[in-house]
Amino acid sequence: MNLLKVKDRHELDKRLPSMPWYVEKFINYKLPDLSPSSLLEYVRDYDAFLTWMLAEGLAEAPSIRDIPIEALETLHMESIDNFRMFLSTRKENANTKTTISRKLSSLRSLFHYLSQIAEDENFYPLLKRNVMAKVEIKRTHKPKDTAAKLEGKLLQESEIMEFLDYVQRGYEQDVVNNKQALYSYQRNKVRDTCIISLILNSGLRVSEVYNLNVDDIDLKKKLTHVYRKGKNDDTFKTPVYFRQEAVDDLLHYLELRTSQYKAPKREKALFLAVANGKKEGERMTKRAIQEMVIKYAKRFGKPYLSVHKLRHSFATDYYLQNDLYKTQEQLGHASPETTQIYAHLTDKTMAEAIDLRKE
């Protein structure tokens, strides 16, 4: 189990006792099949729904843990519509259509389990009436729609090299009068260049970069082993290849990893950071990786760039040189349908390419 999932399992164990007994029963039922990260999302969704029920007077209980299962049986379709509206209008945490659909799907899974699978001591369903069976959850993201949202927000082929060159050299000129920013950049530019180069030459997710250990990297074969989700939501280590450009940047970083970041022998993490007040480097956080990319992207003039959009940039470029199924395997998509967004993204590129004329 990777580090992120270990952390999520601890968080799941911490939050589960605050849930009603029937939610706890459902989570334990799903535990062998789903990852702790997925189950933690379920618990967060149930917490939001049950908290809303109390606030709306749809259940009487001192806390969400004490909400009786009978309160779920008396919910009307209007209640679910009102919850959907609540999710779409709450200002402090705006939810996209995709997020709302996911939360409703979480509820439907719980209600289905309680009404169709779980039984009481007399072999009757725990939930006598399932209002969620009537709820239609529309599919919210199609490959073509996702591609349309990404169009113009990714690095094109020439821009990939320009962005890498900016991280490696250009950024320094932009912060030359900012002593703090300049010191941080000069200390970390080799590491930062390596991280961004690896993503742009492999399509790794931010969680995969975060979880990388030194032993995961095989420079001779140009691959790294990462945890990826397979069938039944289980995780396993799988090889992911990277381009030669990333090899050079990895070699440069590895030469400095121990000396510059004072990596203790027990520290296995590939990418390190030295926190304020500490002398030894430790695993760079996922948030720090994300913020680092955004920092360079803003100065580069593309503030919408993120780790995920760097992954998309690689995937679009990779798809132009390969096929759908190779791209699917490289990115670790469970379904080729997800990978189809790159077919739509490259439609314009291919249309322009056919009109090119040699001078």
Side-chain angles (χ1 to χ4, degrees), residues 6-173:
V6 169
K7 181 181 177 183
D8 286 344
R9 180 56 194 266
H10 288 323
E11 181 67 16
L12 178 66
D13 292 340
K14 182 180 176 181
R15 295 189 65 156
L16 205 51
S18 66
M19 291 288 106
W21 64 269
Y22 45 87
V23 171
E24 208 168 340
K25 187 177 179 70
F26 170 70
I27 296 297
N28 288 328
Y29 170 75
K30 285 288 188 181
L31 198 55
D33 301 319
L34 296 180
S35 71
S37 302
S38 298
L39 293 174
L40 182 58
E41 285 301 315
Y42 274 131
V43 169
R44 287 172 177 154
D45 292 342
Y46 301 150
D47 182 88
F49 178 69
L50 295 170
T51 300
W52 176 83
M53 281 185 63
L54 287 180
E56 292 294 307
L58 297 174
E60 294 184 5
S63 68
I64 62 173
R65 177 176 173 77
D66 301 305
I67 295 177
I69 194 170
E70 290 77 17
L72 305 184
E73 294 177 338
T74 57
L75 291 171
H76 295 281
M77 273 295 296
E78 184 182 3
S79 301
I80 305 302
D81 288 338
N82 288 338
F83 179 61
R84 194 199 302 259
M85 183 67 69
F86 164 74
L87 291 175
S88 64
T89 57
R90 58 190 301 196
K91 295 180 181 179
E92 68 277 12
N93 188 20
N95 291 284
T96 64
K97 290 181 180 180
T98 302
T99 305
I100 293 170
S101 294
R102 196 209 72 231
K103 290 179 184 292
L104 292 176
S105 293
S106 296
L107 286 175
R108 190 157 66 177
S109 296
L110 173 66
F111 279 59
H112 174 78
Y113 166 76
L114 295 174
S115 63
Q116 301 295 320
I117 299 174
E119 300 175 335
D120 62 18
E121 62 275 10
N122 295 315
F123 309 108
Y124 288 107
L126 292 179
L127 194 69
K128 308 299 186 292
R129 177 178 167 274
N130 179 7
V131 68
M132 289 303 299
K134 303 177 182 180
V135 178
E136 181 181 359
I137 302 176
K138 295 180 180 179
R139 182 177 179 155
T140 55
H141 48 155
K142 299 177 181 178
K144 192 171 183 178
D145 297 334
T146 304
K149 289 180 180 179
L150 289 172
E151 191 172 345
K153 295 182 179 180
L154 306 181
L155 295 172
Q156 302 304 315
E157 185 178 6
S158 62
E159 291 177 320
I160 289 175
M161 296 308 298
E162 288 172 12
F163 183 55
L164 277 169
D165 184 68
Y166 178 78
V167 175
Q168 197 168 18
R169 300 178 185 86
Y171 180 83
E172 185 169 14
Q173 298 303 315

Side-chain angles (χ1 to χ4, degrees), residues 187-204:
R187 179 171 177 78
N188 296 306
K189 72 174 181 178
V190 173
R191 181 201 65 189
D192 295 353
T193 300
C194 182
I195 292 173
I196 291 173
S197 174
L198 184 59
I199 297 168
L200 284 172
N201 285 295
S202 67
L204 290 176

